[in-house]
Amino acid sequence: MVLCTGFLKMIGTASVALTGSTTGLSSRGLTTLSYVPPSASPTVMADITTNPSTSSTPAAPSPGIAATGTGARRSPRKEAMRVKSPLIYSHPMSSLENAPPIYLKLDALQPSGSFKDRGMATLCSTLQRQGARRLVSSSGGNAGLSAALCGRILGMPVQVIVPSTTKPLMLEKIRAQGAKVEVFGKNWNEADARARWVVEEGGREGGPEAVAYIPPYDHPLLWEGHSTLVDELVEGGREGGMEEAPAAIVASVGGGGWVVGVETEGAASFAAGLAAGEVVRLTEIQTVATSLGALEVTPRALEYARSGGRAGGRDGGQDKGPRLTLSEVVTDAEAVQACRAFLRDHRLLVEPACGAALALGYSPRLRKRLKAWSEAKGGRPVVIVVCGGSGITPEILVEMERGLGVGS
């Protein structure tokens, strides 16, 4: 799945930088990066019927409080657009050879099934407060599903434009949220162009605020919403038994990058851009982890990774110090095998896009790197973000295993 730039605004790895909160964790040798939130940080989970003019600077999001929708499609009860996800210690993964202590941030338990709810809750509620009455999304994956969920809760009609490659399973889930689904184009780029056109035409008919475009990953408010995961780690790490700051945070990436960004070989736009020092556009996506399928990374992800993601700053254009934002590339087989192992160990079924991050814990080839990062920080634990994903069933997982020639 296309992961966010929000993490890179708040983290530097392998020492892990966490800012935005002041807790005991931040005093234990963390390298902190400055983070200035947008001027209109929304109260995502409060009652959205509150008059936004009562405060020029709304309070910080409160993930556990539900929103109350308004309008014709209003949710019949209070319902959270995002929740504070559990942090648990993984004894099965930590017990593997050459494994460090591993904790899991279970964002697969967000309302729509993926971390996307964090950013979508922030973006959609802010757009409504600014006067938008209808939302148009261009993602046929987890972002589109999350936009549909948030729109339903907020009482806003949502149109999701998807490419012809979108799984029937995802089409059903998006429609089940009450969204209108239009299939257009053979890839996301064509569907996105259509979505932008729909927004432009809708704006002409009903005014510039009548309809709002919802990108799947490239928007500052999405990044800010996603970064609440870091706040939770800072504020609630001890609740999950993690007594010290992690040595590294591992997450899958597609269009945007997080601290240790993991991609599959056929969708490694972040790794290519990080190596080249500029955005690199892939010619095609060739991976079963289709949620990672961004042809190019958002420029902001590279900006954060290259400037804030190194210790020591820049001198005459030359990077100094060890890289704090890292990129790892795994095979489709490693990602799918990690999904199976995770299902066995923790009874949660996730997409191969999420399996890419989990592969660093399950693959003997990659696990040594987690151990090295941990040892470099005095044996601190590693956190793997279980970002989730809704485009998977047991039958689809078996089909992928057969196609890749890997057993269960």
Side-chain angles (χ1 to χ4, degrees), residues 319-336:
D319 293 322
K320 300 280 188 173
R323 184 186 296 276
L324 298 180
T325 302
L326 305 176
S327 173
E328 296 288 348
V329 178
V330 307
T331 67
D332 277 1
E334 288 172 326
V336 169

Side-chain angles (χ1 to χ4, degrees), residues 230-294:
V230 182
D231 287 326
E232 291 176 16
L233 288 178
V234 173
E235 297 166 358
R238 290 183 177 177
E239 295 176 10
M242 190 171 65
E243 295 291 333
E244 56 188 340
I249 299 176
V250 180
S252 304
V253 301
W258 288 16
V259 56
V260 180
V262 189
E263 304 165 286
T264 52
E265 290 177 341
S269 59
F270 180 66
L274 200 59
E278 61 184 5
V279 172
V280 174
R281 185 177 179 84
L282 305 180
T283 57
E284 59 183 338
I285 299 297
Q286 293 183 317
T287 178
V288 298
T290 54
S291 293
L292 296 181

Side-chain angles (χ1 to χ4, degrees), residues 21 40 43 99 170 208 226 233 321 324 332:
S21 301
T43 305
M170 291 302 292
H226 296 324
L233 288 178
L324 298 180
D332 277 1

